[in-house]
Amino acid sequence: MTSWKLTLPCTRDEAEAIDFEGAELLGIDPAPVLLTSETVPDDPLAWQLEAYFEAKPGKEEIAAVRALVPSAVKAKEVIEQIPDEDWVTLSQQGIAPVHAGRFYIHTSTNRGDVPPGARTFQIEASRAFGTGTHETTAGCLRTLDAMRVRGERVDNLIDIGTGTGLLAFAAMHLWPRAYATASDIDPVSVEVTAENAGINGVTLGVMQGQLALAAAAGLEHPLLIGRAPYDLVIANVLAGPLIELAPSISAVLAEGGTLILAGLLETQAERVAGAYRRHGLRLAGKTPMGDWPTLRLRKRTRYGWDRTTRPGPDGQGLAPGFGSW
């Protein structure tokens, strides 16, 4: 038995926008398995899309895959025959385990030697982003670990754009009694997060120490709004969405709370931080990771009669009807 692999170049934006179960592939039976990856580290224009087929793809199949990555319109596709039983392993051989702070991230094929005392997470490179191999995810893990080392307390956290769920899992390990929420605009990412939660012993639910999940664009979901305010918000997406979400993310962050932002280049850091300064946040720290810094911001505390809060999962606030977000 053999399988076939079709490879096309793409950009990071295209890779992150791919609907792995979208209409473009509905006419192909069985549907191909899609994987995306960097070809040049830290270059958002140098990614690739790999589509795995049970039979050699024809013109219609090639056209359907091409439709997912418009930047490859003039690129010549690469089609190769591979052993059927080996393609998943082959696709993950180039992924090395990641050791960031107290966390050690690996796939099922590259566990390697776990550092003493490390908290391990098994995250496969599959249908969603956030395996820990990119600087943005590793930077968030180090930032979270440093917060815990400083003794910071977190009672209610949310991971927006969760991808694989990794950052939510890590935060829950650091603050095991916190209420935790994870969301993503892509329902497939929410499914992947639920699968990874089972693999890594994370309990799903809405109580303390459990992870609540929602598929939502930004914070447009009753669950996400109803569980605010959050004293820790993690958002590892891209600079454009981070700027666009600044008003709503700032609104659901509790006064004195911490916001961790990633997915932005060093050249975009000031513009992203500036969007949040306009909503009462200040830059409290930066974790450099090559060209991909992780920003840590704090929301200023207001005092006086006009202070307004919103209910969290542990009780009522001063003005439970405030805001629409």
Side-chain angles (χ1 to χ4, degrees), residues 4 8 17 41 49 63 69 92 99 114 157 160 163 171 200 213-214 226 268 270-271 287:
W4 293 82
L8 282 168
L49 168 64
V69 287
Q92 296 185 0
H99 188 200
V114 178
L157 64 93
I160 300 171
N200 291 282
L213 299 177
Q268 301 167 324
E270 177 54 35
R271 188 157 57 95
T287 303

Side-chain angles (χ1 to χ4, degrees), residues 128-129 159-165 182-190 193 213-218 224 236-237:
F129 289 85
D159 178 15
I160 300 171
T162 193
T164 61
S183 68
D184 201 286
I185 192 172
D186 185 357
V188 172
S189 289
V190 177
T193 296
L213 299 177
L224 310 185
N236 179 16
V237 285

Side-chain angles (χ1 to χ4, degrees), residues 243 246 250 270-281 300:
I243 292 172
S250 301
E270 177 54 35
R271 188 157 57 95
V272 172
Y276 287 85
R277 277 197 296 269
R278 291 191 286 273
H279 295 278
L281 278 72
R300 294 181 176 88

Side-chain angles (χ1 to χ4, degrees), residues 4-229:
W4 293 82
K5 180 173 71 170
L6 165 64
T7 304
L8 282 168
C10 66
T11 67
R12 181 187 178 193
D13 285 348
E14 288 173 335
E16 294 191 341
I18 288 174
D19 182 352
F20 287 80
E21 298 180 0
E24 296 90 344
L25 305 178
L26 289 180
I28 305 176
D29 186 22
V33 175
L34 304 180
L35 292 174
T36 59
S37 60
E38 292 178 302
T39 57
V40 179
D42 302 335
D43 186 347
L45 300 180
W47 282 60
Q48 69 179 10
L49 168 64
E50 295 174 324
Y52 293 85
F53 295 85
E54 292 186 3
K56 186 176 182 179
K59 292 182 179 180
E60 292 184 2
E61 289 82 4
I62 295 172
V65 175
R66 278 189 175 278
L68 301 174
V69 287
S71 68
V73 62
K74 295 183 180 181
K76 176 64 177 176
E77 69 276 0
V78 176
I79 299 176
E80 54 188 311
Q81 196 174 25
I82 59 173
D84 183 59
E85 68 275 14
D86 290 335
W87 73 263
V88 172
T89 300
L90 290 171
S91 70
Q92 296 185 0
Q93 281 181 347
I95 301 175
V98 173
H99 188 200
R102 70 189 69 191
F103 302 109
Y104 185 79
I105 320 302
H106 63 90
T107 70
S108 58
T109 61
N110 72 352
R111 181 179 175 89
D113 297 324
V114 178
R119 172 58 166 98
T120 64
F121 289 108
Q122 179 178 318
I123 305 292
E124 303 299 334
S126 58
R127 296 177 294 163
F129 289 85
T131 62
T133 59
H134 195 275
E135 286 90 338
T136 57
T137 311
C140 288
L141 292 172
R142 292 185 180 182
T143 301
L144 289 167
D145 186 63
M147 287 177 59
R148 188 66 182 86
V149 169
R150 289 192 298 270
E152 296 189 33
R153 175 176 173 176
V154 172
D155 296 315
N156 188 21
L157 64 93
I158 184 171
D159 178 15
I160 300 171
T162 193
T164 61
L166 172 59
L167 296 179
F169 303 162
M172 293 175 70
H173 172 73
L174 297 173
W175 297 282
R177 294 187 57 80
Y179 290 89
T181 310
S183 68
D184 201 286
I185 192 172
D186 185 357
V188 172
S189 289
V190 177
E191 293 175 7
V192 170
T193 296
E195 294 169 3
N196 287 336
I199 292 171
N200 291 282
V202 175
T203 303
L204 300 182
V206 297
M207 305 303 292
Q208 284 179 297
Q210 300 177 339
L211 181 63
L213 299 177
L219 288 144
E220 297 177 7
H221 194 286
L223 175 71
L224 310 185
I225 297 171
R227 291 169 70 89

